[in-house]
Short mmCIF file of all heavy atoms in Angstrom, two decimals:
data_model
loop_
_atom_site.label_atom_id
_atom_site.label_comp_id
_atom_site.label_asym_id
_atom_site.label_seq_id
_atom_site.Cartn_x
_atom_site.Cartn_y
_atom_site.Cartn_z
N LEU N 1 90.68 120.27 100.45
CA LEU N 1 91.04 121.00 101.66
C LEU N 1 90.11 120.60 102.82
O LEU N 1 90.53 120.59 103.96
CB LEU N 1 90.94 122.49 101.42
CG LEU N 1 92.07 123.09 100.55
CD1 LEU N 1 91.80 124.56 100.30
CD2 LEU N 1 93.41 122.86 101.15
N LEU N 2 88.87 120.34 102.47
CA LEU N 2 87.92 119.95 103.52
C LEU N 2 88.33 118.63 104.18
O LEU N 2 88.32 118.50 105.41
CB LEU N 2 86.52 119.83 102.93
CG LEU N 2 85.40 119.45 103.90
CD1 LEU N 2 85.28 120.48 105.02
CD2 LEU N 2 84.08 119.31 103.14
N VAL N 3 88.74 117.67 103.39
CA VAL N 3 89.16 116.39 103.93
C VAL N 3 90.43 116.56 104.77
O VAL N 3 90.55 115.95 105.84
CB VAL N 3 89.41 115.37 102.78
CG1 VAL N 3 90.04 114.09 103.31
CG2 VAL N 3 88.09 115.03 102.09
N LEU N 4 91.37 117.36 104.33
CA LEU N 4 92.56 117.63 105.11
C LEU N 4 92.22 118.26 106.47
O LEU N 4 92.83 117.94 107.46
CB LEU N 4 93.56 118.49 104.34
CG LEU N 4 94.23 117.80 103.17
CD1 LEU N 4 95.10 118.79 102.42
CD2 LEU N 4 95.04 116.61 103.63
N GLY N 5 91.26 119.17 106.46
CA GLY N 5 90.85 119.80 107.70
C GLY N 5 90.21 118.80 108.65
O GLY N 5 90.47 118.82 109.88
N VAL N 6 89.37 117.92 108.09
CA VAL N 6 88.72 116.92 108.92
C VAL N 6 89.75 115.91 109.46
O VAL N 6 89.66 115.50 110.62
CB VAL N 6 87.62 116.20 108.12
CG1 VAL N 6 87.08 115.01 108.84
CG2 VAL N 6 86.48 117.18 107.81
N LEU N 7 90.72 115.55 108.64
CA LEU N 7 91.76 114.62 109.11
C LEU N 7 92.60 115.26 110.21
O LEU N 7 93.04 114.60 111.16
CB LEU N 7 92.63 114.14 107.97
CG LEU N 7 91.95 113.16 107.02
CD1 LEU N 7 92.85 112.85 105.82
CD2 LEU N 7 91.56 111.87 107.74
N SER N 8 92.85 116.57 110.07
CA SER N 8 93.59 117.26 111.12
C SER N 8 92.79 117.29 112.43
O SER N 8 93.35 117.08 113.52
CB SER N 8 93.88 118.71 110.67
OG SER N 8 94.72 118.70 109.58
N ALA N 9 91.50 117.54 112.33
CA ALA N 9 90.64 117.49 113.51
C ALA N 9 90.62 116.08 114.12
O ALA N 9 90.62 115.93 115.34
CB ALA N 9 89.23 117.94 113.15
N TYR N 10 90.63 115.09 113.25
CA TYR N 10 90.67 113.69 113.73
C TYR N 10 91.92 113.43 114.56
O TYR N 10 91.86 112.79 115.60
CB TYR N 10 90.61 112.76 112.52
CG TYR N 10 90.78 111.28 112.83
CD1 TYR N 10 89.75 110.57 113.43
CD2 TYR N 10 91.93 110.61 112.52
CE1 TYR N 10 89.88 109.23 113.72
CE2 TYR N 10 92.10 109.25 112.81
CZ TYR N 10 91.06 108.57 113.40
OH TYR N 10 91.21 107.24 113.69
N LEU N 11 93.05 113.90 114.07
CA LEU N 11 94.30 113.74 114.80
C LEU N 11 94.28 114.41 116.17
O LEU N 11 94.83 113.89 117.13
CB LEU N 11 95.48 114.25 113.98
CG LEU N 11 95.85 113.47 112.75
CD1 LEU N 11 96.93 114.19 111.97
CD2 LEU N 11 96.30 112.07 113.16
N ILE N 12 93.61 115.51 116.25
CA ILE N 12 93.52 116.21 117.53
C ILE N 12 92.52 115.51 118.47
O ILE N 12 92.76 115.36 119.66
CB ILE N 12 93.10 117.69 117.31
CG1 ILE N 12 94.24 118.42 116.56
CG2 ILE N 12 92.76 118.37 118.60
CD1 ILE N 12 93.85 119.79 116.02
N LEU N 13 91.40 115.10 117.90
CA LEU N 13 90.32 114.49 118.74
C LEU N 13 90.56 113.05 119.13
O LEU N 13 89.92 112.59 120.07
CB LEU N 13 89.00 114.61 118.00
CG LEU N 13 88.46 116.03 117.82
CD1 LEU N 13 87.18 116.00 116.99
CD2 LEU N 13 88.20 116.67 119.17
N ILE N 14 91.45 112.35 118.43
CA ILE N 14 91.60 110.93 118.75
C ILE N 14 92.09 110.73 120.17
O ILE N 14 91.72 109.75 120.83
CB ILE N 14 92.52 110.23 117.72
CG1 ILE N 14 92.37 108.72 117.81
CG2 ILE N 14 93.97 110.66 117.88
CD1 ILE N 14 92.93 107.95 116.67
N ASN N 15 92.89 111.63 120.69
CA ASN N 15 93.36 111.49 122.10
C ASN N 15 92.24 111.82 123.09
O ASN N 15 92.20 111.24 124.16
CB ASN N 15 94.58 112.37 122.34
CG ASN N 15 95.81 111.79 121.69
OD1 ASN N 15 96.00 110.59 121.66
ND2 ASN N 15 96.67 112.66 121.15
N ALA N 16 91.40 112.76 122.75
CA ALA N 16 90.35 113.17 123.64
C ALA N 16 89.14 112.19 123.63
O ALA N 16 88.61 111.84 124.66
CB ALA N 16 89.84 114.57 123.31
N LEU N 17 88.75 111.79 122.42
CA LEU N 17 87.57 110.92 122.28
C LEU N 17 87.92 109.44 122.23
O LEU N 17 87.04 108.61 122.42
CB LEU N 17 86.80 111.31 121.00
CG LEU N 17 86.28 112.73 120.95
CD1 LEU N 17 85.57 112.97 119.60
CD2 LEU N 17 85.30 113.01 122.09
N GLY N 18 89.12 109.08 121.90
CA GLY N 18 89.52 107.69 121.76
C GLY N 18 89.36 107.26 120.29
O GLY N 18 88.74 107.94 119.47
N PHE N 19 89.92 106.12 120.01
CA PHE N 19 89.95 105.59 118.65
C PHE N 19 88.55 105.30 118.11
O PHE N 19 88.19 105.71 117.02
CB PHE N 19 90.79 104.34 118.55
CG PHE N 19 90.73 103.68 117.19
CD1 PHE N 19 91.50 104.19 116.14
CD2 PHE N 19 89.95 102.59 116.96
CE1 PHE N 19 91.46 103.60 114.89
CE2 PHE N 19 89.87 102.00 115.72
CZ PHE N 19 90.63 102.49 114.67
N LEU N 20 87.77 104.58 118.87
CA LEU N 20 86.47 104.12 118.38
C LEU N 20 85.51 105.31 118.05
O LEU N 20 84.93 105.35 116.97
CB LEU N 20 85.80 103.17 119.38
CG LEU N 20 86.50 101.85 119.57
CD1 LEU N 20 85.79 101.06 120.67
CD2 LEU N 20 86.54 101.08 118.28
N VAL N 21 85.38 106.21 118.97
CA VAL N 21 84.46 107.32 118.76
C VAL N 21 84.93 108.26 117.65
O VAL N 21 84.15 108.60 116.73
CB VAL N 21 84.26 108.14 120.07
CG1 VAL N 21 83.38 109.37 119.83
CG2 VAL N 21 83.65 107.26 121.13
N SER N 22 86.17 108.64 117.67
CA SER N 22 86.69 109.59 116.68
C SER N 22 86.73 108.94 115.28
O SER N 22 86.39 109.60 114.28
CB SER N 22 88.07 110.13 117.05
OG SER N 22 88.97 109.07 117.21
N THR N 23 87.04 107.66 115.18
CA THR N 23 87.05 107.00 113.89
C THR N 23 85.65 106.85 113.35
O THR N 23 85.40 107.07 112.16
CB THR N 23 87.73 105.62 113.98
OG1 THR N 23 89.06 105.81 114.47
CG2 THR N 23 87.78 104.91 112.66
N PHE N 24 84.71 106.53 114.22
CA PHE N 24 83.29 106.45 113.79
C PHE N 24 82.82 107.79 113.24
O PHE N 24 82.21 107.84 112.18
CB PHE N 24 82.42 105.98 114.95
CG PHE N 24 80.96 105.99 114.61
CD1 PHE N 24 80.42 105.01 113.82
CD2 PHE N 24 80.14 107.00 115.10
CE1 PHE N 24 79.07 105.01 113.49
CE2 PHE N 24 78.79 107.01 114.79
CZ PHE N 24 78.25 106.01 114.00
N LEU N 25 83.11 108.88 113.96
CA LEU N 25 82.69 110.19 113.50
C LEU N 25 83.35 110.58 112.19
O LEU N 25 82.71 111.12 111.30
CB LEU N 25 82.98 111.25 114.58
CG LEU N 25 82.17 111.12 115.87
CD1 LEU N 25 82.66 112.13 116.88
CD2 LEU N 25 80.70 111.27 115.59
N LEU N 26 84.62 110.26 112.05
CA LEU N 26 85.34 110.53 110.80
C LEU N 26 84.69 109.76 109.65
O LEU N 26 84.45 110.34 108.55
CB LEU N 26 86.81 110.14 110.92
CG LEU N 26 87.61 110.17 109.61
CD1 LEU N 26 87.81 111.61 109.15
CD2 LEU N 26 88.93 109.45 109.75
N MET N 27 84.40 108.52 109.84
CA MET N 27 83.83 107.71 108.77
C MET N 27 82.43 108.18 108.43
O MET N 27 82.07 108.16 107.22
CB MET N 27 83.83 106.21 109.19
CG MET N 27 85.23 105.66 109.40
SD MET N 27 86.35 105.93 108.05
CE MET N 27 85.68 104.87 106.80
N VAL N 28 81.63 108.56 109.41
CA VAL N 28 80.32 109.10 109.10
C VAL N 28 80.48 110.33 108.22
O VAL N 28 79.74 110.50 107.24
CB VAL N 28 79.51 109.40 110.37
CG1 VAL N 28 78.26 110.24 110.06
CG2 VAL N 28 79.08 108.13 111.05
N PHE N 29 81.36 111.23 108.60
CA PHE N 29 81.58 112.43 107.79
C PHE N 29 82.00 112.06 106.38
O PHE N 29 81.48 112.63 105.40
CB PHE N 29 82.64 113.34 108.43
CG PHE N 29 83.00 114.47 107.52
CD1 PHE N 29 82.17 115.57 107.43
CD2 PHE N 29 84.13 114.42 106.74
CE1 PHE N 29 82.48 116.61 106.56
CE2 PHE N 29 84.46 115.44 105.89
CZ PHE N 29 83.64 116.56 105.79
N LEU N 30 82.94 111.15 106.25
CA LEU N 30 83.42 110.80 104.91
C LEU N 30 82.35 110.15 104.07
O LEU N 30 82.19 110.45 102.89
CB LEU N 30 84.66 109.89 105.00
CG LEU N 30 85.93 110.53 105.56
CD1 LEU N 30 87.01 109.50 105.68
CD2 LEU N 30 86.37 111.70 104.68
N PHE N 31 81.55 109.24 104.68
CA PHE N 31 80.51 108.57 103.92
C PHE N 31 79.35 109.51 103.60
O PHE N 31 78.73 109.40 102.55
CB PHE N 31 79.98 107.37 104.67
CG PHE N 31 80.91 106.18 104.69
CD1 PHE N 31 81.20 105.51 105.87
CD2 PHE N 31 81.46 105.72 103.52
CE1 PHE N 31 82.07 104.42 105.86
CE2 PHE N 31 82.34 104.65 103.50
CZ PHE N 31 82.63 104.00 104.68
N LYS N 32 79.04 110.41 104.51
CA LYS N 32 77.87 111.31 104.31
C LYS N 32 78.29 112.62 103.66
O LYS N 32 77.58 113.13 102.77
CB LYS N 32 77.22 111.59 105.66
CG LYS N 32 75.98 112.45 105.58
CD LYS N 32 74.86 111.73 104.87
CE LYS N 32 73.63 112.62 104.81
NZ LYS N 32 72.76 112.25 103.73
N GLY N 33 79.40 113.21 104.07
CA GLY N 33 79.76 114.52 103.60
C GLY N 33 80.45 114.56 102.25
O GLY N 33 80.20 115.43 101.43
N ILE N 34 81.31 113.62 102.00
CA ILE N 34 82.07 113.63 100.77
C ILE N 34 81.26 113.01 99.64
O ILE N 34 81.19 113.53 98.55
CB ILE N 34 83.42 112.87 100.92
CG1 ILE N 34 84.25 113.52 102.05
CG2 ILE N 34 84.18 112.83 99.62
CD1 ILE N 34 84.53 115.01 101.83
N GLU N 35 80.69 111.87 99.89
CA GLU N 35 79.85 111.20 98.88
C GLU N 35 78.45 111.08 99.48
O GLU N 35 78.17 110.18 100.26
CB GLU N 35 80.42 109.82 98.57
CG GLU N 35 79.69 109.10 97.47
CD GLU N 35 79.82 109.76 96.13
OE1 GLU N 35 80.89 110.32 95.82
OE2 GLU N 35 78.84 109.73 95.39
N PRO N 36 77.56 112.00 99.13
CA PRO N 36 76.23 112.00 99.75
C PRO N 36 75.51 110.64 99.62
O PRO N 36 75.44 110.04 98.56
CB PRO N 36 75.48 113.06 98.96
CG PRO N 36 76.54 113.95 98.43
CD PRO N 36 77.71 113.06 98.14
N THR N 37 75.07 110.17 100.74
CA THR N 37 74.34 108.91 100.83
C THR N 37 73.30 109.07 101.93
O THR N 37 73.27 110.07 102.64
CB THR N 37 75.31 107.75 101.11
OG1 THR N 37 74.59 106.54 101.08
CG2 THR N 37 76.00 107.90 102.44
N LYS N 38 72.47 108.09 102.07
CA LYS N 38 71.45 108.17 103.12
C LYS N 38 72.10 108.02 104.48
O LYS N 38 73.14 107.32 104.63
CB LYS N 38 70.41 107.05 102.92
CG LYS N 38 69.64 107.24 101.61
CD LYS N 38 68.63 106.15 101.42
CE LYS N 38 67.94 106.45 100.09
NZ LYS N 38 66.79 105.66 99.88
N TRP N 39 71.49 108.63 105.50
CA TRP N 39 72.05 108.63 106.88
C TRP N 39 72.22 107.23 107.40
O TRP N 39 73.26 106.90 107.96
CB TRP N 39 71.19 109.45 107.82
CG TRP N 39 71.54 110.89 107.81
CD1 TRP N 39 70.83 111.90 107.23
CD2 TRP N 39 72.72 111.49 108.33
NE1 TRP N 39 71.50 113.08 107.39
CE2 TRP N 39 72.66 112.89 108.07
CE3 TRP N 39 73.80 111.00 109.03
CZ2 TRP N 39 73.64 113.76 108.48
CZ3 TRP N 39 74.81 111.89 109.43
CH2 TRP N 39 74.71 113.26 109.15
N TRP N 40 71.22 106.38 107.24
CA TRP N 40 71.31 105.04 107.79
C TRP N 40 72.43 104.24 107.14
O TRP N 40 73.12 103.48 107.80
CB TRP N 40 69.98 104.31 107.67
CG TRP N 40 69.51 104.02 106.25
CD1 TRP N 40 68.77 104.83 105.45
CD2 TRP N 40 69.85 102.85 105.47
NE1 TRP N 40 68.58 104.24 104.23
CE2 TRP N 40 69.23 103.01 104.21
CE3 TRP N 40 70.57 101.71 105.72
CZ2 TRP N 40 69.34 102.07 103.21
CZ3 TRP N 40 70.67 100.76 104.70
CH2 TRP N 40 70.06 100.96 103.48
N MET N 41 72.64 104.48 105.85
CA MET N 41 73.72 103.78 105.16
C MET N 41 75.10 104.29 105.63
O MET N 41 76.02 103.51 105.78
CB MET N 41 73.57 103.94 103.66
CG MET N 41 74.55 103.14 102.87
SD MET N 41 74.31 101.40 103.21
CE MET N 41 74.78 100.70 101.66
N ALA N 42 75.20 105.62 105.81
CA ALA N 42 76.46 106.19 106.30
C ALA N 42 76.78 105.68 107.71
O ALA N 42 77.94 105.35 108.00
CB ALA N 42 76.37 107.71 106.28
N VAL N 43 75.82 105.60 108.58
CA VAL N 43 76.03 105.14 109.96
C VAL N 43 76.40 103.67 109.98
O VAL N 43 77.34 103.27 110.66
CB VAL N 43 74.80 105.44 110.84
CG1 VAL N 43 74.90 104.75 112.18
CG2 VAL N 43 74.61 106.93 111.00
N ILE N 44 75.68 102.85 109.24
CA ILE N 44 76.02 101.42 109.20
C ILE N 44 77.39 101.17 108.60
O ILE N 44 78.18 100.37 109.10
CB ILE N 44 74.90 100.65 108.45
CG1 ILE N 44 73.63 100.64 109.28
CG2 ILE N 44 75.35 99.22 108.15
CD1 ILE N 44 72.44 100.04 108.57
N SER N 45 77.69 101.86 107.52
CA SER N 45 79.00 101.73 106.87
C SER N 45 80.12 102.19 107.81
O SER N 45 81.18 101.55 107.89
CB SER N 45 79.05 102.49 105.57
OG SER N 45 78.08 102.02 104.67
N ALA N 46 79.91 103.29 108.50
CA ALA N 46 80.93 103.81 109.42
C ALA N 46 81.12 102.86 110.58
O ALA N 46 82.25 102.62 111.04
CB ALA N 46 80.50 105.17 109.95
N LEU N 47 80.05 102.28 111.09
CA LEU N 47 80.15 101.34 112.17
C LEU N 47 80.92 100.09 111.72
O LEU N 47 81.82 99.63 112.44
CB LEU N 47 78.76 100.93 112.68
CG LEU N 47 78.69 99.98 113.83
CD1 LEU N 47 79.37 100.59 115.08
CD2 LEU N 47 77.26 99.65 114.16
N ALA N 48 80.60 99.61 110.54
CA ALA N 48 81.28 98.42 110.01
C ALA N 48 82.78 98.69 109.77
O ALA N 48 83.64 97.89 110.14
CB ALA N 48 80.64 97.98 108.70
N ALA N 49 83.11 99.86 109.20
CA ALA N 49 84.51 100.20 108.95
C ALA N 49 85.28 100.36 110.24
O ALA N 49 86.43 99.93 110.36
CB ALA N 49 84.55 101.48 108.11
N THR N 50 84.65 100.96 111.25
CA THR N 50 85.31 101.13 112.55
C THR N 50 85.57 99.81 113.22
O THR N 50 86.64 99.54 113.77
CB THR N 50 84.45 102.04 113.46
OG1 THR N 50 84.27 103.31 112.80
CG2 THR N 50 85.12 102.27 114.80
N LEU N 51 84.58 98.92 113.18
CA LEU N 51 84.75 97.62 113.80
C LEU N 51 85.80 96.78 113.08
O LEU N 51 86.59 96.07 113.73
CB LEU N 51 83.41 96.88 113.86
CG LEU N 51 82.40 97.46 114.85
CD1 LEU N 51 81.08 96.71 114.78
CD2 LEU N 51 82.94 97.45 116.27
N VAL N 52 85.84 96.84 111.74
CA VAL N 52 86.86 96.10 111.00
C VAL N 52 88.24 96.64 111.35
O VAL N 52 89.17 95.86 111.58
CB VAL N 52 86.58 96.19 109.49
CG1 VAL N 52 87.79 95.75 108.66
CG2 VAL N 52 85.35 95.38 109.13
N ALA N 53 88.40 97.96 111.39
CA ALA N 53 89.69 98.55 111.74
C ALA N 53 90.10 98.15 113.15
O ALA N 53 91.24 97.81 113.40
CB ALA N 53 89.64 100.06 111.60
N TYR N 54 89.15 98.16 114.10
CA TYR N 54 89.46 97.77 115.46
C TYR N 54 89.90 96.32 115.53
O TYR N 54 90.90 96.00 116.16
CB TYR N 54 88.23 98.00 116.36
CG TYR N 54 88.48 97.59 117.77
CD1 TYR N 54 89.15 98.43 118.65
CD2 TYR N 54 88.04 96.36 118.25
CE1 TYR N 54 89.38 98.05 119.96
CE2 TYR N 54 88.27 95.98 119.56
CZ TYR N 54 88.93 96.84 120.41
OH TYR N 54 89.19 96.44 121.70
N CYS N 55 89.15 95.45 114.89
CA CYS N 55 89.48 94.03 114.93
C CYS N 55 90.83 93.76 114.25
O CYS N 55 91.64 92.97 114.76
CB CYS N 55 88.39 93.19 114.27
SG CYS N 55 86.87 93.12 115.25
N LEU N 56 91.07 94.42 113.14
CA LEU N 56 92.32 94.19 112.43
C LEU N 56 93.51 94.67 113.23
O LEU N 56 94.49 93.92 113.45
CB LEU N 56 92.26 94.90 111.08
CG LEU N 56 93.56 94.86 110.25
CD1 LEU N 56 93.80 93.43 109.76
CD2 LEU N 56 93.45 95.80 109.07
N PHE N 57 93.48 95.92 113.69
CA PHE N 57 94.65 96.50 114.34
C PHE N 57 94.74 96.17 115.81
O PHE N 57 95.83 95.86 116.32
CB PHE N 57 94.66 98.02 114.14
CG PHE N 57 94.92 98.41 112.72
CD1 PHE N 57 93.91 98.91 111.93
CD2 PHE N 57 96.17 98.23 112.16
CE1 PHE N 57 94.14 99.26 110.59
CE2 PHE N 57 96.41 98.56 110.82
CZ PHE N 57 95.41 99.10 110.05
N ARG N 58 93.67 96.24 116.54
CA ARG N 58 93.76 96.04 118.01
C ARG N 58 93.76 94.55 118.37
O ARG N 58 94.58 94.09 119.16
CB ARG N 58 92.58 96.73 118.70
CG ARG N 58 92.56 96.60 120.18
CD ARG N 58 93.70 97.39 120.81
NE ARG N 58 93.65 97.23 122.25
CZ ARG N 58 94.67 96.79 122.97
NH1 ARG N 58 95.82 96.53 122.39
NH2 ARG N 58 94.55 96.65 124.26
N VAL N 59 92.80 93.83 117.82
CA VAL N 59 92.67 92.42 118.19
C VAL N 59 93.71 91.54 117.52
O VAL N 59 94.44 90.80 118.17
CB VAL N 59 91.23 91.90 117.85
CG1 VAL N 59 91.10 90.44 118.17
CG2 VAL N 59 90.21 92.72 118.64
N TRP N 60 93.81 91.65 116.20
CA TRP N 60 94.69 90.75 115.46
C TRP N 60 96.16 91.15 115.57
O TRP N 60 97.00 90.34 115.82
CB TRP N 60 94.24 90.69 114.01
CG TRP N 60 94.91 89.59 113.22
CD1 TRP N 60 95.13 88.30 113.61
CD2 TRP N 60 95.46 89.72 111.90
NE1 TRP N 60 95.76 87.62 112.63
CE2 TRP N 60 95.99 88.45 111.57
CE3 TRP N 60 95.56 90.75 111.02
CZ2 TRP N 60 96.60 88.22 110.34
CZ3 TRP N 60 96.15 90.50 109.78
CH2 TRP N 60 96.68 89.25 109.48
N LEU N 61 96.46 92.45 115.37
CA LEU N 61 97.85 92.91 115.39
C LEU N 61 98.32 93.42 116.76
O LEU N 61 99.52 93.59 116.97
CB LEU N 61 98.05 94.00 114.37
CG LEU N 61 97.87 93.57 112.90
CD1 LEU N 61 97.97 94.78 112.00
CD2 LEU N 61 98.87 92.51 112.52
N GLY N 62 97.39 93.68 117.68
CA GLY N 62 97.75 94.10 119.02
C GLY N 62 98.26 95.51 119.15
O GLY N 62 99.00 95.85 120.08
N VAL N 63 97.85 96.38 118.23
CA VAL N 63 98.28 97.78 118.25
C VAL N 63 97.49 98.51 119.32
O VAL N 63 96.26 98.49 119.33
CB VAL N 63 98.05 98.47 116.88
CG1 VAL N 63 98.38 99.94 116.92
CG2 VAL N 63 98.83 97.74 115.80
N PRO N 64 98.17 99.19 120.28
CA PRO N 64 97.41 99.93 121.28
C PRO N 64 96.83 101.23 120.70
O PRO N 64 97.49 101.91 119.92
CB PRO N 64 98.49 100.27 122.32
CG PRO N 64 99.78 100.19 121.61
CD PRO N 64 99.61 99.24 120.48
N PHE N 65 95.61 101.52 121.06
CA PHE N 65 94.91 102.72 120.61
C PHE N 65 94.77 103.69 121.74
O PHE N 65 94.68 103.31 122.91
CB PHE N 65 93.52 102.38 120.06
CG PHE N 65 93.53 101.67 118.75
CD1 PHE N 65 92.68 100.60 118.53
CD2 PHE N 65 94.35 102.07 117.70
CE1 PHE N 65 92.65 99.95 117.31
CE2 PHE N 65 94.33 101.44 116.50
CZ PHE N 65 93.49 100.38 116.30
N PRO N 66 94.64 104.99 121.41
CA PRO N 66 94.35 105.96 122.46
C PRO N 66 92.97 105.70 123.05
O PRO N 66 92.02 105.45 122.34
CB PRO N 66 94.35 107.30 121.72
CG PRO N 66 94.98 107.04 120.38
CD PRO N 66 94.83 105.62 120.11
N ARG N 67 92.91 105.78 124.37
CA ARG N 67 91.63 105.64 125.05
C ARG N 67 91.10 107.04 125.36
O ARG N 67 91.83 107.83 125.91
CB ARG N 67 91.76 104.85 126.35
CG ARG N 67 92.16 103.43 126.08
CD ARG N 67 92.27 102.68 127.41
NE ARG N 67 92.64 101.31 127.18
CZ ARG N 67 91.74 100.31 127.21
NH1 ARG N 67 90.48 100.54 127.46
NH2 ARG N 67 92.15 99.09 126.99
N GLY N 68 89.90 107.28 124.99
CA GLY N 68 89.33 108.59 125.23
C GLY N 68 88.77 108.71 126.64
O GLY N 68 89.04 107.89 127.51
N PHE N 69 87.98 109.74 126.86
CA PHE N 69 87.40 109.99 128.16
C PHE N 69 86.43 108.90 128.57
O PHE N 69 86.14 108.70 129.76
CB PHE N 69 86.72 111.37 128.21
CG PHE N 69 85.47 111.46 127.36
CD1 PHE N 69 84.26 111.22 127.89
CD2 PHE N 69 85.57 111.78 126.02
CE1 PHE N 69 83.11 111.32 127.12
CE2 PHE N 69 84.46 111.89 125.24
CZ PHE N 69 83.19 111.65 125.78
N LEU N 70 85.94 108.11 127.61
CA LEU N 70 85.03 107.01 127.91
C LEU N 70 85.79 105.74 128.30
O LEU N 70 85.20 104.79 128.77
CB LEU N 70 84.13 106.71 126.72
CG LEU N 70 83.16 107.84 126.31
CD1 LEU N 70 82.43 107.45 125.05
CD2 LEU N 70 82.19 108.15 127.43
N GLY N 71 87.09 105.75 128.07
CA GLY N 71 87.87 104.58 128.36
C GLY N 71 87.87 103.49 127.30
O GLY N 71 88.29 102.37 127.53
N VAL N 72 87.35 103.83 126.10
CA VAL N 72 87.28 102.86 125.01
C VAL N 72 88.10 103.34 123.82
O VAL N 72 88.37 104.47 123.64
CB VAL N 72 85.86 102.58 124.55
CG1 VAL N 72 85.11 101.85 125.62
CG2 VAL N 72 85.15 103.84 124.14
#
């Protein structure tokens, strides 16, 4: 239920924060909250996962992402 709640929040926040920020926060939560790990490892893993998703979908496939208030 916790993961479903976080994914629901992700769907709401992706339009406000944009793809990069909201995906990074989601991945940090999943890496740190669901499977406890060290903070530095969760942040690095979340950053890597976000960048891979961005490169795969935005750069390679050309899928448009929501831009948040930061414009990214």
Side-chain angles (χ1 to χ4, degrees):
L1 288 176
L2 181 61
V3 172
L4 289 175
V6 170
L7 288 175
S8 297
Y10 174 74
L11 289 174
I12 294 168
L13 292 176
I14 196 166
N15 287 323
L17 299 178
F19 174 80
L20 292 176
V21 175
S22 58
T23 302
F24 175 75
L25 293 174
L26 171 70
M27 297 308 289
V28 167
F29 172 79
L30 292 176
F31 286 132
K32 183 67 180 156
I34 302 302
E35 184 66 35
T37 185
K38 295 181 181 191
W39 274 106
W40 65 270
M41 186 61 149
V43 169
I44 290 173
S45 299
L47 183 61
T50 302
L51 290 176
V52 166
Y54 179 80
C55 288
L56 176 69
F57 291 108
R58 180 70 180 125
V59 176
W60 191 44
L61 295 175
V63 175
F65 288 136
R67 295 180 179 260
F69 69 95
L70 297 175
V72 293

